[in-house]
Amino acid sequence: MALSKIQTVENQVVPNLGRRNLVTNGAMTIAQRGTSETGVTTSGYKTVDRFRHSESSLGTAQFTHAQVGPATTDAPDGFANSLKLTTTTAEGAVAAADRFSITYAIEGQDLQHLQYGTSSAKKVTLSFYVKSSLTGTYSVAFYATNASNRLITSTYTINSSNTWELKTITFDGDTSVAFINDNTAGLTIYFNLGAGSDMTSTDSTSWIDYNLAGFAYGQTAQFQNTLNATWQITGVQLEVGETATDFEHRSVGEEFTLCQRYYQIFSAGGAGTATAASQSASAQIGINFMTQMRDAPNITIGSTSNTSNTASVSAADITEFGCRMLAMSNNSGRQYWFAKTNIAEKEL
């Protein structure tokens, strides 16, 4: 094949551009926790997998999170889903310490090829589609957390309300500090939606040691302060280099498996004969997780059904590969139990 027929990026011959996106679920296709949550007032994962609600010092503000699509598609061409936030109760006056963001975290071991901490540290380009009813300037922060805390920020502008816009931001590599090669959060991306004056006074457009005053440098939009404001995002991609390539679409099955490294729902049940009310080993089962998790997860036992002589169900011997589920009997005799919506979670 002639070289002219092979796609190139930045003068590099690249016959296969697959697996370049460092972001999982950037097309917002997977939402294991549900497609909508209202009255959100605390930080945490709410709907779309891997994208986290993060806030500090807010008082009265409340939000709705929703995975929009595919039945009610509101996404740019080539996409079926988006993550949509709506301010249902406004914050009121913006306090100096207020902050509201949507975040995405990447393990340090998945960032080693960026060569941070060396003179060869690579530039990366973040691209995404965004739509908001609130025009203005928004900031994006890269927060390197698993080594010495480091920070760099940039901004983008919503030019037209309620219109999908493609944004592209290139960040320099950090030549000073390397990512630790482990399964903790090496880099967290903060899509800042609002920030008080405590976070906007220090220029952080080049890599600096973490400084709260630079966390949302350049931010002027105050999403949390605007009743009924909406903000949507999809097509999030982070890749090596100074050029944003077309979004890397992966199959729903592959994205689902990648998300299960951090969060998965599983069923379990067991049966046996209890000889005493305190016999815990009479109804148990070994569980192999559907994919290896990031680390030994926290287990939440779902409500049990079809139970007989069963007082409680718990998990033991938990590793990143699986666990043992066992039931404590409350009477002698035949014992069985079934729990459908157990959760294994080890988010960053």
Side-chain angles (χ1 to χ4, degrees), residues 280-303:
S280 62
S282 59
Q284 62 178 305
I285 188 172
I287 296 294
N288 293 317
F289 295 138
M290 288 167 278
T291 189
Q292 178 184 341
M293 301 201 69
R294 181 179 68 84
D295 205 342
N298 300 316
I299 302 292
T300 301
I301 308 299
S303 58

Side-chain angles (χ1 to χ4, degrees), residues 85-221:
L85 277 68
T86 304
T87 304
T88 54
T89 301
E91 177 67 5
V94 179
D98 285 355
R99 180 188 57 77
F100 175 42
S101 314
I102 296 298
T103 72
Y104 182 90
I106 305 172
E107 294 178 44
Q109 60 191 1
D110 290 330
L111 299 166
Q112 297 303 302
H113 62 299
L114 300 184
Q115 297 178 260
Y116 277 33
T118 76
S119 59
S120 300
K122 297 178 180 179
K123 295 177 183 288
V124 293
T125 295
L126 176 70
S127 56
F128 54 95
Y129 289 91
V130 65
K131 173 182 176 180
S132 180
S133 63
L134 184 64
T135 59
T137 301
Y138 295 75
S139 68
V140 176
F142 276 20
Y143 183 31
T145 53
N146 77 350
S148 298
N149 293 343
R150 299 278 285 171
L151 175 70
I152 190 172
T153 66
S154 188
T155 58
Y156 67 93
T157 301
I158 300 290
N159 298 297
S160 301
S161 62
N162 301 313
T163 302
W164 282 107
E165 299 175 356
L166 175 62
K167 306 300 177 183
T168 300
I169 305 171
T170 296
F171 292 88
D172 288 333
D174 186 0
T175 59
S176 298
V177 179
F179 295 113
I180 295 174
N181 186 19
D182 65 12
N183 64 354
T184 64
L187 178 69
T188 303
I189 305 170
Y190 282 76
F191 295 93
N192 293 319
L193 300 182
S197 58
D198 283 354
M199 291 164 235
T200 59
S201 60
T202 294
D203 189 336
S204 51
T205 52
S206 298
W207 282 101
I208 61 172
D209 290 338
Y210 175 73
N211 185 341
L212 178 64
F215 196 83
Y217 183 71
Q219 178 87 25
T220 59

Side-chain angles (χ1 to χ4, degrees), residues 264 266 287 289 293 296-302 313-319 322-325 342-346:
Q264 56 182 270
F266 63 95
I287 296 294
F289 295 138
M293 301 201 69
N298 300 316
I299 302 292
T300 301
I301 308 299
V313 179
S314 60
D317 303 325
I318 303 168
T319 73
C323 66
R324 180 166 57 94
M325 304 280 287
N342 308 295
I343 296 170
E345 181 172 4
K346 200 63 176 180

